[in-house]
């Protein structure tokens, strides 16, 4: 294929790589342009629920994932202050049987590595590094990307997979107007051997409390514990994963919380903080021969653990649409948007709503957590709420 017949993907994150792999598997030539000088992901965990592993398995990654994933047995809920523990729901074999593929916990770098290796196995030079997109434009019946160094490249299609601060989105639709949620997320990793045995278990733990929420789960074959927390704070409004905080600042945000939470916080190697912003769903996110996927078009608060999974589903579907309608951009992108619009908008909306159940001032009362667990955090209730999400099969959707 000549350069002009390729699909160019801007951004080599999880969504960009998943889309590239799906396109290559369908025989469509791809080039990924990633701004970073080396290919790596932030040091943090990511949960991929069954609807995401269904796509990753269809892309042929089941074997590679087995070398790095954790298959947790279950999730538990704990009381922010007393540490009381309740079983929440089964994962492991139960989930795999119910949905056909498991719910896995991964280091983001490991998932990223698995995807990048698979892309390079198809096309060794598919990923171009140190290539920062500055703008996108139409060029006759081609799309054109201009990089910050001034170079331009044309392609049959351009997919903006360049994340929450997408340059491709800004080029097509102008600047967005994010709204601060009043909530900051912390994340960090802890070597498992630094934690006492009753914490370093192969299960997911959510701590319910007032003004904040904590979760932790094992990644990288169980060698690391991934810590994430959310706290109400209005003095920090920078939306970036590279901003470091300190262990003391993080500990201060969780004053009064159980000693097990602080045992993890003390051992986090580098705590990072991220101000959480919301954006309204986009009714359309394609123009001419350019479209978007993942956080570039539907950034999602992390309260459902689905932003990355949605990017993976998007990647699979856009590849199927381009494979079927390569010579007809209008139909290809109309089908892609029609298939993805309601699902991704619902995920964005429900993630936002979940922020309200993740923590509330009422949970300061010692007995309120038990009441809340009995009402909302039961296996059957979770199934009712999540079935539509986890049972979805992006690999069989009619294109
Ligand atoms: C605290 C927290 C926890 C989360 N947990 C989960 C979870 O458990 N499960 C889940 O599914 N999701 C989770 N998410 C959401 C998930 O991280 C994102 O939705 C996901 O990373 C989006 O993938 P993406 O490929 O669209 O964008 P990104 O991962 O942001 O990748 C974008 C890529 O584009 C590159 N790029 C940016 N600008 C340019 C440019 N101008 N030119 C070239 N390249 C560029 C970047 O360097 C990057 O490599 C979580 C999010 C947060 C904040």
């Amino acid at each position: 294929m000549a350069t002009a017949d390729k699909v160019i993907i801007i951004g080599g994150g999880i969504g960009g790589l998943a889309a590239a792999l799906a396109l290559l598997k369908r025989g469509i030539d791809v080039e990924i342009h990633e701004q970073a000088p080396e290919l790596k992901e932030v040091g943090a965990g990511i949960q991929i629920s069954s609807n995401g592993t269904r796509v990753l398995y269809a892309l042929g990654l089941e074997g590679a994932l087995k070398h790095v994933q954790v298959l947790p047995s279950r999730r538990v809920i704990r009381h922010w202050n007393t540490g009381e523990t309740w079983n929440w729901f089964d994962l492991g074999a139960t989930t795999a049987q119910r949905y056909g593929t498991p719910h896995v916990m991964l280091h983001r770098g490991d998932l990223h590595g698995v995807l990048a290796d698979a892309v390079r196995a198809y096309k060794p030079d598919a990923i171009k590094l140190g290539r920062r997109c500055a703008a996108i434009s139409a060029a006759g019946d081609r799309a054109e990307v201009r990089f910050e160094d001034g170079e331009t490249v044309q392609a049959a299609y351009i997919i903006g997979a360049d994340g929450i601060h997408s340059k491709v989105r800004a080029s097509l639709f102008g600047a967005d107007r994010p709204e601060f949620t009043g909530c900051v997320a912390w994340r960090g990793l802890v070597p498992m051997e630094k934690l006492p045995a009753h914490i370093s278990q192969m299960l997911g733990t959510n701590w319910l409390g007032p003004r904040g929420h904590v979760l932790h789960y094992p990644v990288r074959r169980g060698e690391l514990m991934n810590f994430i927390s959310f706290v109400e704070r209005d003095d920090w409004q920078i939306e970036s994963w590279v901003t470091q905080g300190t262990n003391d600042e993080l500990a201060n945000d969780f004053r009064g919380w159980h000693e097990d939470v602080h045992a993890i916080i003390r051992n986090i190697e580098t705590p990072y903080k991220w101000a959480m912003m919301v954006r309204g769903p986009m009714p359309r996110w394609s123009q001419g021969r350019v479209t978007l996927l993942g956080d570039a078009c539907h950034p999602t608060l992390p309260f459902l653990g689905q932003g990355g999974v949605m990017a993976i589903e998007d990647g699979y579907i856009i590849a199927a649409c381009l494979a079927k309608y390569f010579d007809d951009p209008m139909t290809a992108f109309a089908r892609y948007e029609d298939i993805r619009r309601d699902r991704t908008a619902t995920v964005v909306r429900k993630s936002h709503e979940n922020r309200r159940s993740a923590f509330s001032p009422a949970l300061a009362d010692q007995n309120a957590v038990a009441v809340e667990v009995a009402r909302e955090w039961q296996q059957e209730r979770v199934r009712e709420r999540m079935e539509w999400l986890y049972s979805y099969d992006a690999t069989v959707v009619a294109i």
Side-chain angles (χ1 to χ4, degrees), residues 10-17 33-36 40-41 45-49 108 112 131-134 147-148 161-168 185-187 217 228-230 241 274 276 293-296 298-302 304-311:
I10 307 296
I14 287 162
L17 290 173
H33 293 263
E34 163 59 43
Q35 65 179 358
K40 61 172 192 180
E41 252 290 348
I46 186 161
Q47 302 194 60
I48 302 294
S49 50
R108 295 177 70 110
H112 198 248
R131 304 275 282 167
R132 179 169 293 164
C133 161
F147 293 98
E148 277 195 346
D162 50 342
I164 214 156
H165 303 295
S166 171
K167 270 278 183 331
V168 181
W186 285 95
R187 69 173 172 84
Y217 56 85
I228 303 175
S229 65
F230 309 102
W241 267 145
W274 162 291
M276 292 204 288
L293 64 72
D295 276 10
H298 43 70
T300 306
L301 291 179
L304 273 181
Q306 285 292 314
V309 175
M310 288 302 111

Side-chain angles (χ1 to χ4, degrees), residues 251-252 254-267:
N252 191 44
F254 289 90
R255 261 195 334 266
W257 285 56
H258 191 264
E259 164 53 23
D260 286 355
V261 170
H262 286 277
I264 302 177
I265 290 175
R266 270 196 302 280
N267 285 293

Side-chain angles (χ1 to χ4, degrees), residues 77-95:
I77 301 283
R78 297 193 67 185
H79 186 289
W80 66 283
N81 171 256
T82 66
E84 186 178 354
T85 305
W86 295 268
N87 268 330
W88 181 15
F89 62 89
D90 298 329
L91 287 167
T94 313
T95 301

Side-chain angles (χ1 to χ4, degrees), residues 179-384:
E179 204 181 300
F180 180 50
T181 56
C183 194
V184 169
W186 285 95
R187 69 173 172 84
L189 292 167
V190 181
M192 207 56 107
E193 69 270 12
K194 292 201 169 169
L195 296 173
H198 72 280
I199 301 179
S200 63
Q201 299 203 13
M202 295 304 115
L203 47 81
T205 304
N206 286 57
W207 292 78
L208 275 187
R211 285 195 58 251
H213 189 100
V214 171
L215 67 142
H216 50 85
Y217 56 85
V219 297
R220 188 165 285 165
R221 300 172 290 272
E223 292 160 26
L224 296 166
M225 182 69 88
N226 181 57
F227 171 95
I228 303 175
S229 65
F230 309 102
V231 63
E232 271 174 6
R233 259 177 73 167
D234 58 11
D235 62 337
W236 181 258
Q237 300 200 12
I238 298 176
E239 196 184 27
S240 154
W241 267 145
V242 291
T243 310
Q244 290 185 21
T246 65
N247 298 64
D248 286 347
E249 184 189 354
L250 170 52
N252 191 44
D253 278 347
F254 289 90
R255 261 195 334 266
W257 285 56
H258 191 264
E259 164 53 23
D260 286 355
V261 170
H262 286 277
I264 302 177
I265 290 175
R266 270 196 302 280
N267 285 293
I268 290 177
E269 291 184 328
T270 315
Y272 292 89
K273 54 184 178 177
W274 162 291
M276 292 204 288
M277 308 278 185
V278 279
R279 295 158 175 84
M282 298 173 76
R284 302 218 54 184
W285 54 88
S286 311
Q287 221 177 70
R289 290 177 167 267
V290 186
T291 193
L292 304 170
L293 64 72
D295 276 10
C297 51
H298 43 70
T300 306
L301 291 179
F303 296 106
L304 273 181
Q306 285 292 314
V309 175
M310 288 302 111
I312 291 168
E313 288 184 358
D314 285 349
Y316 196 90
I317 301 276
I318 186 63
C321 291
L322 285 178
K324 184 157 181 189
Y325 304 110
F326 199 83
D327 296 326
D328 181 358
M330 273 192 40
T331 306
F333 289 164
R335 282 303 296 139
Y336 167 52
E337 290 183 350
D338 286 349
I339 293 167
R340 300 303 293 158
R341 187 180 297 105
D342 285 353
R343 180 165 171 83
T344 55
T346 307
V347 167
V348 168
R349 180 171 51 77
K350 286 190 182 279
S351 300
H352 196 193
E353 287 168 7
N354 258 20
R355 177 242 169 277
R356 282 191 282 278
S357 54
F359 52 91
S360 104
L363 297 179
D365 182 274
Q366 290 290 27
N367 298 320
V369 175
V371 173
E372 183 69 8
V373 169
R375 199 179 54 201
E376 288 298 328
W377 300 72
Q378 295 297 314
Q379 178 136 309
E380 279 313 311
R381 291 286 293 125
V382 176
R383 284 221 176 109
E384 283 163 28

Side-chain angles (χ1 to χ4, degrees), residues 41-59:
E41 252 290 348
V42 291
I46 186 161
Q47 302 194 60
I48 302 294
S49 50
S50 298
N51 47 315
T53 47
R54 194 169 293 128
V55 175
L56 296 176
Y57 282 19
L59 291 174

Side-chain angles (χ1 to χ4, degrees), residues 98-121:
R98 190 175 182 87
Y99 299 113
T101 53
H103 179 113
V104 299
M105 296 170 167
L106 293 155
H107 187 289
R108 295 177 70 110
D110 293 339
L111 172 59
H112 198 248
V114 163
L115 284 162
D117 287 351
V119 166
R120 285 176 166 146

